[in-house]
Amino acid sequence: MTKILDQIKKANDIKKIDPSQYGALADELRTFIINSVSQTGGHLASNLGVVELTMALHLCLDLPKDKIIWDVGHQSYTHKILTGRQDQFPGLRTFGGMSGFPKQRESQCDAFDTGHSSTSISAALGYVRARELTDDDYTVVAVIGDGSLTGGMAYEALNNAAHLNSNLIIILNDNKMSISENVGGMSKYLNGIRMNENYIELKSDVETALRKIPGIGDSVARGVKKSKDSLKQWLIPGGFFEDLGIEYMGPFDGHDMNQLMRAIKTAKKEKQAVIVHVITKKGKGYEPAENRPSEFHGVGKFDVQSGEIAKGSKMTYTEAFSKAIQYIGTKDERVVAVSAAMPSGTGLTKFSKRFPKRFFDVGIAEEHAVTFAGGLAAGGLKPYVAIYSSFFQRAYDQIIHDVCIPDLPVVFCVDRAGIVGADGETHQGILDLSFFSSIPNMTVFAPKNLYELYDIMKFSLDYNHPLAIRYPRGEAFDGEQEHRAPIVLGKSEMLYEGEQVALVAVGSMVETAVQVKDELAESGIQATVVNARFVKPLDTEMLDHLAEKHNMIVTMEENVIRGGFGEAVSDYYMTKGSAVYVKHVGIPDEFVEHGNVAQLKTSLGMDAWAIAGKILSEVLL
């Protein structure tokens, strides 16, 4: 028997499916996504929650003419399948394969590249204004989760959208989750709407009755619907969205195709911005994901039958950080931790349970998180802000203005620094060394292994200035345990002293540097290996020592070369007038696509074999 899904080869093919088969198609889509992600890893729970919503959008819109902008974009798998990319799923998030996020270069049906939170309404509003100025005619839809409404950029866009006199549909996909459970006032407000069955039933009954009036029913119903009557204000306190000037519809069952299609078709008729509020269940249709949505948000390979997720045997850097912050939390009651909606991903869950009054999850609001931490520090506490490297980018001004200018003792715990792999350009942490080290009053440290991460966390307790500690994703390097010199501000660590070539490596690249040393030894070169530790301030005493005894200094960092550690070293030598040759190993001036970390490093010439080959080609000339 031919599967319904096999009938969909390109955009709009779903419109050929008989409506009686929509439920079966939703089941097939979920089964396909579950089986695919179990083999490749990816975002599961969020995608399972929007299957019917995505189907309804595709049935009501004409792609690629009409535009769907997915906030974050991690929930776009059904969209990709319905636009003819089913056969690309074996390569999902792999090197050279299909991205896990919308990509304009991948399909005309992907209207906007996304990856970070709270951007969709702004992009959609831009499309609407472009549509007006070009006198075009297409529908624009932003799909944003309730978690993304904890981010300030969404409110900036809503404020701007209130002035529209043409159609913009904002689908509020409300599943009570971001990655972890939502927090804050908006979460409570939406929960109040969800729970207010009296209003929902009354609204439905009144509109149905009015529409039955012969001749004038529809127009009267629309008039009542648009009115700001006191009854609605009483039943839904504040009428937040409509008070802004944005039409509100809902809430609707996000898994009821009939409700969804009626709502979308009605919303398309509005001559203003309209929010269509839909309630969905994250992980729907797969019990392990329904019960553990945070674990199945971004998941590795797993067993479909048991729901058991494949895990490495070694401790990760995030787990090492988790242990370290709990330890210093027991030593100093001033220690507080701040998360931007990712306590699990950044290793703060155990701290939050152990010290609930000293843990703050501010939602997907990195800018607020940093300034809030500045206030905590000014108030005499010792805040640790744990955020992914690529998300710290969003708070650059606050780091400068609210922490570094007043020189406050905030510790920035920069998780997922360097090449993170499968999530691609929007998540690679390849810029943080450059932007953190460019700021006055900022100190930047990168541990070589998990023990050095423990040591810098202890050091940070008594350090009374801004400090960024950056560490990579995945299993923590536990080698070089015999080298554990005490941490001294601005001092690097000599691991192996040789001659001719000196490898000065930052953080995760120390392990690679040791491998390069071994490769060079096979060609008769006894290289020096230095663990840089501090990217800022530079250990100029060590750099002077290396210049005296070596012909080539090779800097190694998992960061863009431009503005990074290597350029700082070159600048120091040039300013001093040193003739020593400096070679940079790092990421060129380009974004890094998705793929396996090892494959990406090889493609960038950053694996040990490639680095050793480049050195030998120059040394042996």
Side-chain angles (χ1 to χ4, degrees):
M1 184 175 178
T2 303
K3 290 183 177 180
I4 305 168
L5 188 54
D6 289 342
Q7 300 175 45
I8 297 175
K9 303 296 183 184
K10 62 184 184 303
N12 302 311
D13 277 356
I14 189 174
K15 295 173 182 176
K16 302 174 184 177
I17 306 299
D18 189 276
S20 66
Q21 295 183 303
Y22 289 164
L25 175 59
D27 290 341
E28 286 189 16
L29 283 161
R30 284 194 170 92
T31 299
F32 178 82
I33 291 170
I34 291 166
N35 289 331
S36 295
V37 175
S38 73
Q39 297 300 309
T40 62
H43 292 94
L44 184 65
S46 54
N47 280 287
L48 296 180
V50 298
V51 170
E52 289 87 359
L53 173 58
T54 308
M55 289 171 58
L57 285 167
H58 278 249
L59 285 163
C60 295
L61 300 176
D62 179 18
L63 298 181
K65 177 185 176 183
D66 295 331
K67 315 300 179 186
I68 306 174
I69 298 160
W70 301 92
D71 204 87
V72 183
H74 60 303
Q75 75 285 56
S76 61
Y77 291 5
T78 299
H79 166 77
K80 287 177 182 260
I81 297 167
L82 296 181
T83 50
R85 285 171 273 180
Q86 179 182 348
D87 60 349
Q88 296 181 44
F89 270 77
L92 177 68
R93 303 166 78 241
T94 61
F95 186 62
M98 183 173 65
S99 171
F101 297 90
K103 295 291 178 188
Q104 291 173 286
R105 66 170 182 264
E106 195 175 283
S107 170
Q108 289 183 317
C109 296
D110 293 357
F112 200 79
D113 289 7
T114 51
H116 290 191
S117 170
S118 312
T119 66
S120 60
I121 304 174
S122 297
L125 184 56
Y127 257 117
V128 169
R129 292 303 192 191
R131 180 185 67 197
E132 293 172 349
L133 290 172
T134 58
D135 198 26
D136 213 333
D137 180 27
Y138 53 82
T139 299
V140 181
V141 180
V143 182
I144 184 168
D146 53 317
S148 290
L149 282 186
T150 63
M153 187 174 173
Y155 296 96
E156 295 173 22
L158 285 171
N159 180 60
N160 198 195
H163 302 289
L164 279 179
N165 293 313
S166 62
N167 184 255
L168 166 61
I169 301 173
I170 302 165
I171 305 287
L172 172 52
N173 172 35
D174 182 359
N175 59 23
K176 298 185 283 185
M177 299 285 290
S178 47
I179 293 175
S180 300
E181 190 170 346
N182 280 332
V183 296
M186 178 52 68
S187 176
K188 291 180 181 179
Y189 175 75
L190 293 176
N191 191 54
I193 297 178
R194 295 184 209 109
M195 299 298 290
N196 202 325
E197 295 179 2
N198 292 332
Y199 166 69
I200 297 167
E201 292 174 4
L202 176 63
K203 179 183 177 185
S204 177
D205 291 345
V206 169
E207 289 185 8
T208 300
L210 288 172
R211 290 184 190 281
K212 289 181 178 178
I213 300 174
I216 62 170
D218 283 344
S219 62
V220 173
R222 285 195 296 271
V224 170
K225 179 170 169 253
K226 291 181 178 180
S227 69
K228 300 286 185 68
D229 56 87
S230 60
L231 179 61
K232 182 170 183 180
Q233 293 294 317
W234 173 63
L235 286 168
I236 300 184
F240 177 79
F241 298 112
E242 295 200 358
D243 284 348
L244 279 176
I246 296 173
E247 177 72 9
Y248 172 84
M249 295 171 53
F252 302 100
D253 182 346
H255 304 295
D256 185 318
M257 289 291 297
N258 291 327
Q259 280 193 41
L260 290 169
M261 292 178 67
R262 281 199 302 269
I264 294 167
K265 288 176 181 177
T266 301
K268 287 175 66 176
K269 299 174 184 177
E270 297 290 338
K271 299 298 182 183
Q272 65 180 98
V274 55
I275 284 182
V276 179
H277 183 185
V278 303
I279 310 295
T280 61
K281 185 172 183 62
K282 197 168 184 178
K284 184 175 175 61
Y286 183 54
E287 187 174 353
E290 289 186 12
N291 295 335
R292 293 140 52 203
S294 292
E295 289 184 46
F296 281 90
H297 173 80
V299 67
K301 295 180 181 180
F302 63 93
D303 180 76
V304 174
Q305 296 302 316
S306 67
E308 184 176 346
I309 301 169
K311 294 183 178 179
S313 58
K314 296 176 66 176
M315 181 181 292
T316 66
Y317 275 104
T318 301
E319 289 168 341
F321 165 74
S322 178
K323 287 179 176 291
I325 194 166
Q326 289 179 75
Y327 173 79
I328 64 173
T330 64
K331 298 298 180 182
D332 193 332
E333 292 185 352
R334 297 176 305 138
V335 171
V336 292
V338 180
S339 170
M342 299 184 69
S344 176
T346 57
L348 288 176
T349 300
K350 291 182 178 178
F351 183 95
S352 71
K353 293 177 179 178
R354 193 167 179 179
F355 309 105
K357 292 183 178 180
R358 291 155 58 188
F359 169 75
F360 305 95
D361 185 349
V362 302
I364 307 177
E366 293 86 358
E367 301 97 320
H368 165 59
V370 169
T371 302
F372 172 67
L376 290 169
L381 298 178
K382 184 72 178 184
Y384 289 74
V385 185
I387 295 176
Y388 290 0
S389 168
S390 59
F391 299 157
F392 262 122
Q393 296 162 188
R394 313 186 81 181
Y396 188 55
D397 178 64
Q398 287 72 24
I399 294 169
I400 297 169
H401 184 271
D402 301 323
V403 175
C404 287
I405 290 177
D407 198 21
L408 293 169
V410 176
V411 181
F412 299 107
C413 305
V414 189
D415 200 338
R416 270 52 167 189
I419 298 172
V420 300
D423 284 334
E425 296 101 322
T426 56
H427 287 64
Q428 309 288 12
I430 60 174
L431 302 171
D432 58 86
L433 287 183
S434 300
F435 68 73
F436 274 113
S437 62
S438 68
I439 307 172
N441 288 338
M442 176 66 76
T443 295
V444 183
F445 186 96
K448 72 175 183 293
N449 58 21
L450 64 91
Y451 305 105
E452 205 159 81
L453 177 55
Y454 295 149
D455 293 343
I456 188 61
M457 288 291 287
K458 294 174 186 176
F459 172 90
S460 69
L461 264 182
D462 298 318
Y463 189 66
N464 294 315
H465 306 279
L467 171 64
I469 304 170
R470 63 111 66 173
Y471 43 94
R473 180 181 187 175
E475 294 184 347
F477 179 49
D478 59 2
E480 303 301 322
Q481 296 181 36
E482 67 276 18
H483 297 109
R484 196 172 180 178
I487 293 177
V488 178
L489 178 63
K491 293 301 177 183
S492 57
E493 179 186 42
M494 177 70 76
L495 301 181
Y496 301 96
E497 188 157 17
E499 56 186 6
Q500 197 172 357
V501 175
L503 309 172
V504 187
V506 174
S508 59
M509 291 300 287
V510 171
E511 180 181 6
T512 305
V514 174
Q515 296 168 351
V516 172
K517 174 188 73 72
D518 294 340
E519 289 281 343
L520 294 175
E522 293 182 6
S523 297
I525 297 174
Q526 303 304 314
T528 292
V529 178
V530 174
N531 169 25
R533 287 188 164 180
F534 288 91
V535 172
K536 183 187 178 187
L538 289 175
D539 185 353
T540 56
E541 184 179 356
M542 176 67 80
L543 292 178
D544 289 342
H545 172 74
L546 296 177
E548 291 174 0
K549 296 191 173 184
H550 300 81
N551 300 323
M552 178 189 291
I553 309 293
V554 181
T555 63
M556 300 171 60
E557 60 193 305
E558 214 170 311
N559 189 80
V560 292
I561 293 172
R562 187 175 296 275
F565 174 72
E567 286 199 347
V569 170
S570 290
D571 181 68
Y572 171 75
Y573 282 133
M574 183 176 65
T575 301
K576 194 172 182 180
S578 173
V580 68
Y581 172 57
V582 181
K583 183 175 183 62
H584 302 148
V585 173
I587 297 165
D589 188 21
E590 62 187 45
F591 293 110
V592 178
E593 63 174 297
H594 55 275
N596 174 276
V597 172
Q599 288 177 312
L600 292 172
K601 285 187 175 180
T602 297
S603 72
L604 294 165
M606 292 178 63
D607 62 293
W609 184 86
I611 296 169
K614 292 175 184 176
I615 294 170
L616 287 171
S617 68
E618 297 189 36
V619 169
L620 299 178
L621 284 178

